[in-house]
Amino acid sequence: DVYEADSVVVVTVTYTDGVPNQTAIDSVTVWVYNPGTGDTETLILTETPDTSGVFANGTARPLTDTQAVGVENGWLRVNAGDSIYVDYTDTDDAADTASGQALIVNPTTGSTLTLDFDIYEADSVVVVTVTDTDAGPNQTAPDTVTVTV
Protein backbone atom coordinates (compact mmCIF):
# COMPACT_ATOMS: atom_id res chain seq x y z
CA ASP A 1 0.00 0.00 0.00
CA VAL A 2 0.95 3.61 -0.45
CA TYR A 3 -0.31 6.46 1.71
CA GLU A 4 0.22 10.17 1.35
CA ALA A 5 1.62 12.20 4.21
CA ASP A 6 -1.24 14.09 5.90
CA SER A 7 -3.80 11.43 4.97
CA VAL A 8 -5.45 8.76 7.12
CA VAL A 9 -5.01 5.01 7.51
CA VAL A 10 -7.60 2.31 8.13
CA VAL A 11 -6.32 -1.12 9.16
CA THR A 12 -8.32 -4.28 8.44
CA VAL A 13 -7.73 -7.75 9.89
CA THR A 14 -9.71 -10.71 8.55
CA TYR A 15 -10.01 -13.92 10.55
CA THR A 16 -9.93 -16.96 8.27
CA ASP A 17 -10.11 -19.60 11.01
CA GLY A 18 -13.34 -18.52 12.74
CA VAL A 19 -14.10 -15.62 15.04
CA PRO A 20 -13.51 -15.87 18.80
CA ASN A 21 -17.11 -15.18 19.82
CA GLN A 22 -19.92 -16.35 17.56
CA THR A 23 -22.60 -14.41 19.45
CA ALA A 24 -21.09 -10.97 20.03
CA ILE A 25 -19.01 -8.30 18.34
CA ASP A 26 -15.31 -8.94 18.94
CA SER A 27 -12.31 -6.62 18.84
CA VAL A 28 -8.60 -7.10 18.17
CA THR A 29 -5.56 -4.91 18.81
CA VAL A 30 -2.88 -3.99 16.27
CA TRP A 31 0.25 -1.88 16.52
CA VAL A 32 1.06 0.67 13.83
CA TYR A 33 4.56 2.09 13.90
CA ASN A 34 7.07 4.10 11.93
CA PRO A 35 10.70 3.13 12.61
CA GLY A 36 11.84 6.24 10.75
CA THR A 37 10.30 8.59 13.31
CA GLY A 38 9.97 6.23 16.28
CA ASP A 39 6.22 6.86 16.51
CA THR A 40 3.80 4.11 17.54
CA GLU A 41 0.01 3.91 17.77
CA THR A 42 -2.15 1.12 19.18
CA LEU A 43 -5.43 0.59 17.35
CA ILE A 44 -8.48 -1.32 18.55
CA LEU A 45 -10.22 -2.88 15.55
CA THR A 46 -13.90 -3.77 15.89
CA GLU A 47 -15.65 -6.60 14.09
CA THR A 48 -18.15 -5.32 11.54
CA PRO A 49 -20.66 -6.82 11.15
CA ASP A 50 -21.00 -9.19 14.12
CA THR A 51 -19.45 -12.66 13.55
CA SER A 52 -18.05 -11.61 10.12
CA GLY A 53 -14.41 -12.07 11.09
CA VAL A 54 -13.60 -8.67 9.53
CA PHE A 55 -12.10 -6.12 11.93
CA ALA A 56 -11.30 -2.45 11.20
CA ASN A 57 -10.63 0.75 13.09
CA GLY A 58 -13.89 2.69 12.95
CA THR A 59 -12.09 6.04 12.99
CA ALA A 60 -9.30 6.44 10.48
CA ARG A 61 -5.93 7.20 12.13
CA PRO A 62 -4.37 10.45 10.84
CA LEU A 63 -0.88 10.44 9.35
CA THR A 64 0.99 13.72 9.70
CA ASP A 65 4.24 15.20 8.49
CA THR A 66 3.72 18.47 10.38
CA GLN A 67 3.03 17.39 13.99
CA ALA A 68 5.73 16.36 16.47
CA VAL A 69 6.34 12.69 17.29
CA GLY A 70 4.17 11.62 20.20
CA VAL A 71 3.76 7.92 20.96
CA GLU A 72 0.05 7.05 21.41
CA ASN A 73 -1.08 10.64 20.75
CA GLY A 74 -3.78 9.91 18.15
CA TRP A 75 -1.75 10.38 14.95
CA LEU A 76 1.29 8.76 13.39
CA ARG A 77 4.24 10.99 12.48
CA VAL A 78 5.51 10.20 8.97
CA ASN A 79 7.81 11.63 6.32
CA ALA A 80 7.75 11.03 2.58
CA GLY A 81 9.88 7.96 1.89
CA ASP A 82 9.14 6.33 5.27
CA SER A 83 7.59 2.90 5.56
CA ILE A 84 4.95 2.31 8.20
CA TYR A 85 4.20 -1.12 9.59
CA VAL A 86 1.30 -2.86 11.31
CA ASP A 87 1.59 -5.98 13.45
CA TYR A 88 -1.14 -8.26 14.74
CA THR A 89 -0.88 -11.22 17.11
CA ASP A 90 -3.90 -13.35 17.99
CA THR A 91 -4.30 -13.24 21.79
CA ASP A 92 -5.57 -16.84 21.76
CA ASP A 93 -2.72 -18.20 19.61
CA ALA A 94 0.63 -16.36 19.67
CA ALA A 95 1.72 -18.28 16.56
CA ASP A 96 -1.16 -16.67 14.61
CA THR A 97 0.34 -13.38 13.45
CA ALA A 98 0.06 -10.99 10.53
CA SER A 99 1.91 -7.88 9.46
CA GLY A 100 1.76 -5.27 6.76
CA GLN A 101 3.84 -2.45 5.35
CA ALA A 102 2.99 0.74 3.49
CA LEU A 103 5.09 3.45 1.86
CA ILE A 104 4.54 7.13 2.61
CA VAL A 105 4.71 9.50 -0.36
CA ASN A 106 4.29 13.22 -0.90
CA PRO A 107 0.69 14.28 -1.57
CA THR A 108 -0.34 14.26 -5.21
CA THR A 109 -3.05 16.25 -6.88
CA GLY A 110 -3.95 14.10 -9.87
CA SER A 111 -4.62 10.51 -8.87
CA THR A 112 -4.52 7.88 -6.14
CA LEU A 113 -4.19 4.12 -6.07
CA THR A 114 -5.71 2.01 -3.30
CA LEU A 115 -5.88 -1.70 -2.54
CA ASP A 116 -8.90 -3.39 -1.02
CA PHE A 117 -6.96 -4.74 2.01
CA ASP A 118 -3.83 -3.85 3.97
CA ILE A 119 -2.86 -7.46 4.58
CA TYR A 120 -3.09 -10.34 2.10
CA GLU A 121 -2.65 -14.06 2.41
CA ALA A 122 -0.99 -16.22 -0.23
CA ASP A 123 -3.33 -16.89 -3.17
CA SER A 124 -5.48 -13.82 -2.32
CA VAL A 125 -7.27 -11.76 -4.94
CA VAL A 126 -6.09 -8.14 -5.04
CA VAL A 127 -8.48 -5.37 -6.08
CA VAL A 128 -6.75 -2.17 -7.17
CA THR A 129 -8.71 1.08 -7.46
CA VAL A 130 -7.25 4.05 -9.34
CA THR A 131 -8.92 7.41 -8.78
CA ASP A 132 -8.04 10.18 -11.22
CA THR A 133 -9.38 13.44 -9.79
CA ASP A 134 -8.38 15.56 -12.76
CA ALA A 135 -10.38 13.33 -15.17
CA GLY A 136 -7.40 12.66 -17.45
CA PRO A 137 -6.64 14.26 -20.80
CA ASN A 138 -10.09 13.60 -22.26
CA GLN A 139 -12.91 14.44 -19.87
CA THR A 140 -15.58 12.90 -22.09
CA ALA A 141 -14.06 9.44 -22.61
CA PRO A 142 -12.81 6.70 -20.26
CA ASP A 143 -9.09 6.66 -19.53
CA THR A 144 -6.88 3.61 -19.48
CA VAL A 145 -4.16 3.12 -16.88
CA THR A 146 -1.60 0.39 -16.30
CA VAL A 147 -1.01 -0.85 -12.77
CA THR A 148 1.87 -3.16 -11.92
CA VAL A 149 1.47 -5.15 -8.70
Side-chain angles (χ1 to χ4, degrees):
D1 285 352
V2 175
Y3 289 94
E4 294 180 357
D6 291 324
S7 64
V8 296
V9 64
V10 174
V11 177
T12 303
V13 170
T14 303
Y15 265 63
T16 57
D17 59 352
V19 294
N21 187 334
Q22 293 291 327
T23 61
I25 295 175
D26 295 300
S27 62
V28 298
T29 302
V30 298
W31 295 269
V32 181
Y33 58 97
N34 180 352
T37 63
D39 204 355
T40 302
E41 296 293 317
T42 302
L43 302 180
I44 306 298
L45 312 183
T46 304
E47 185 179 25
T48 306
D50 181 20
T51 71
S52 68
V54 178
F55 299 79
N57 50 314
T59 303
R61 185 58 50 115
L63 303 174
T64 180
D65 63 355
T66 58
Q67 301 295 323
V69 172
V71 173
E72 303 295 347
N73 63 354
W75 60 76
L76 189 68
R77 172 72 166 123
V78 298
N79 296 306
D82 287 350
S83 287
I84 60 172
Y85 300 85
V86 60
D87 288 335
Y88 165 75
T89 300
D90 188 332
T91 56
D92 296 324
D93 179 4
D96 187 4
T97 64
S99 62
Q101 176 183 355
L103 177 65
I104 304 300
V105 297
N106 284 321
T108 59
T109 57
S111 62
T112 60
L113 180 138
T114 56
L115 302 175
D116 58 334
F117 295 106
D118 290 329
I119 299 171
Y120 293 90
E121 294 187 39
D123 299 319
S124 295
V125 174
V126 178
V127 176
V128 177
T129 302
V130 176
T131 304
D132 185 5
T133 57
D134 67 1
N138 184 344
Q139 297 184 16
T140 62
D143 293 327
T144 301
V145 296
T146 300
V147 176
T148 303
V149 179

